[in-house]
Amino acid sequence: MGDDKRLRDAAEKLALILAQGGMQKTTARVMTCLLFSQQETLTAADLCAELQISSGAVSGAVKQLAPSGLLERVPAPGSRRDHYRFPDGAWATLMSQQNQLLATMGEAADQGLAAAGDPSTPAGRRLAEMKDFYTFMLRELPPLIERWRTDFTAKHPNQETQQSG
Amino acid sequence: MGDDKRLRDAAEKLALILAQGGMQKTTARVMTCLLFSQQETLTAADLCAELQISSGAVSGAVKQLAPSGLLERVPAPGSRRDHYRFPDGAWATLMSQQNQLLATMGEAADQGLAAAGDPSTPAGRRLAEMKDFYTFMLRELPPLIERWRTDFTAKHPNQETQQSG
DNA sequence: CAGAAGTTTCAGAGATCTGCGAACACTCTG
DNA sequence: CAGAGTGTTCGCAGATCTCTGAAACTTCTG
């Protein structure tokens, strides 16, 4: 029983960290609740009870988490309620989505370069470096994540790490 | 001349993106202003005039950016004013600091595992995967960044990409 | 040491965001 | 098709955050 409390505390603690990092507080709490729960799935009602929040708040959090791949709706035969779970491989999915940001940064650098013209100007020099960096990362990061996926599934053959999408 | 406006626009556009990603709006504007400026350095007064913000706001933004390595105070001989610039290698520095976050995530997973006990429980399984992922990334990312630094300085021998330290 | 130039701090106005609770919409059951 | 069970949307009150403008502080000059 004490373990449950410790899990609860650890969940809230991580939620706080994520919230400081920019994530919505309630959204973070919903996510960590699913992550640290000893049940495979939780319903919206479970989350309301566990986190002491309204059903509207749960709905909002779900709407944010689901597209990011940090929450999955699970078909629940026999129950009319939606069941939610933290998907396997979610962290890898999340980091993969950062690639979109890398691409955006590269494009921003491009636009700046088009306006700055010469890479010998101060702005041109800075933006050229920026572009180089993000191009590099965009090329190197996806294979790295893929390698983790491969390694991990090799280590855990019973657990198919599913990609969303 | 039109180029200046295009640079300005590109700067504000990137600032907006960064703001949506969680960065303070004014902080982002100050950063992109330095990044896209055709001058090597800008003073606080320059930033006030350029961005139409108060000196207090500039001070606040500087206080946020400087510790992250996204802004540097430059000694300005002959001028009593502080001069600020966007440091070379700032993007790499920034990503290196993300490593701290990776470590924190790994620790959070550890704490959860200590409470969940068995990795065969649902929470244990999820947290074990989380730990594996962040441990992997923490091991692989720093060398990757270092490789970019090496490659880049090799390509641009005149431009010492300085690390903040 | 008095005064000027510049930066930082701080209280408060204004804007933004967030989650609650209720109304609404949807989907199965009988 | 009526009605119960759920999920979603939305207006609003409360909380939070942010920037301004002014005062306080620091550092340099004469």
Side-chain angles (χ1 to χ4, degrees):
Chain A
M1 291 301 117
D3 277 1
D4 269 20
K5 173 141 183 20
R6 282 173 69 197
L7 268 179
R8 196 79 57 81
D9 287 351
E12 291 289 346
K13 192 172 159 189
L14 179 56
L16 208 62
I17 291 169
L18 294 172
Q20 285 170 343
M23 188 182 280
Q24 211 86 331
K25 196 170 109 189
T26 300
T27 303
R29 292 183 72 212
V30 167
M31 194 194 95
T32 58
C33 192
L34 288 164
L35 175 60
F36 285 76
S37 168
Q38 285 295 14
Q39 296 173 253
E40 277 298 343
T41 68
L42 295 178
T43 65
D46 291 337
L47 290 164
C48 289
E50 183 77 29
L51 301 172
Q52 301 278 44
I53 58 180
S54 72
S55 63
V58 171
S59 180
V62 166
K63 199 157 61 170
Q64 273 195 280
L65 290 170
S68 311
L70 290 170
L71 175 148
E72 229 176 17
R73 280 188 160 81
V74 177
S79 169
R80 211 183 293 178
R81 300 179 174 181
D82 282 2
H83 285 234
Y84 304 113
R85 108 175 129 193
F86 187 87
D88 288 342
W91 299 113
T93 305
L94 182 65
M95 189 153 285
S96 292
Q97 288 179 338
Q98 300 272 338
N99 293 337
Q100 183 52 57
L101 181 59
L102 298 178
T104 304
M105 296 299 282
E107 287 160 22
D110 273 338
Q111 291 194 3
L113 278 168
D118 207 326
S120 67
T121 65
R125 170 176 52 75
R126 291 187 212 104
L127 292 167
E129 183 195 308
M130 175 173 165
K131 182 174 168 48
D132 191 272
F133 180 77
Y134 282 104
T135 302
F136 177 88
M137 284 297 156
L138 195 56
R139 184 178 64 236
E140 300 291 338
L141 223 41
L144 194 63
I145 297 169
E146 203 42 54
R147 211 175 88 214
W148 175 81
R149 278 216 182 85
T150 306
D151 289 7
F152 189 79
T153 52
K155 275 188 292 189
H156 303 263
N158 301 331
Q159 220 179 101
E160 300 303 293
T161 296
Q162 66 253 27
Q163 300 192 35
S164 71
Chain B
M1 293 304 114
D3 278 0
D4 270 18
K5 174 144 181 21
R6 282 173 69 196
L7 267 178
R8 196 76 56 82
D9 286 352
E12 291 289 346
K13 193 172 159 189
L14 179 56
L16 208 61
I17 292 170
L18 294 172
Q20 285 170 342
M23 187 182 280
Q24 213 82 333
K25 196 170 111 188
T26 300
T27 303
R29 292 182 72 212
V30 167
M31 193 194 96
T32 59
C33 193
L34 288 165
L35 175 61
F36 285 76
S37 169
Q38 285 295 14
Q39 297 173 253
E40 277 299 343
T41 68
L42 295 178
T43 66
D46 290 338
L47 289 164
C48 289
E50 183 78 28
L51 301 172
Q52 302 278 43
I53 58 181
S54 72
S55 62
V58 172
S59 179
V62 167
K63 199 157 60 168
Q64 273 195 279
L65 290 170
S68 312
L70 290 170
L71 175 148
E72 227 175 19
R73 281 187 158 82
V74 178
S79 168
R80 211 182 294 176
R81 300 179 176 182
D82 282 1
H83 285 236
Y84 303 113
R85 110 176 127 194
F86 187 88
D88 288 342
W91 299 113
T93 304
L94 182 64
M95 188 153 286
S96 292
Q97 288 179 337
Q98 300 271 337
N99 293 337
Q100 183 52 57
L101 180 58
L102 298 179
T104 303
M105 295 299 281
E107 286 160 23
D110 273 336
Q111 291 193 3
L113 279 168
D118 207 327
S120 67
T121 65
R125 171 175 52 75
R126 292 188 211 103
L127 291 167
E129 183 195 309
M130 176 173 165
K131 180 173 168 51
D132 192 90
F133 180 77
Y134 283 104
T135 301
F136 177 88
M137 283 298 157
L138 194 57
R139 185 177 64 235
E140 299 291 337
L141 223 42
L144 193 63
I145 297 170
E146 203 42 53
R147 213 175 88 214
W148 175 81
R149 278 214 181 88
T150 307
D151 287 7
F152 189 79
T153 52
K155 275 190 293 189
H156 303 263
N158 301 332
Q159 219 179 103
E160 301 304 290
T161 296
Q162 67 253 28
Q163 301 194 35
S164 69

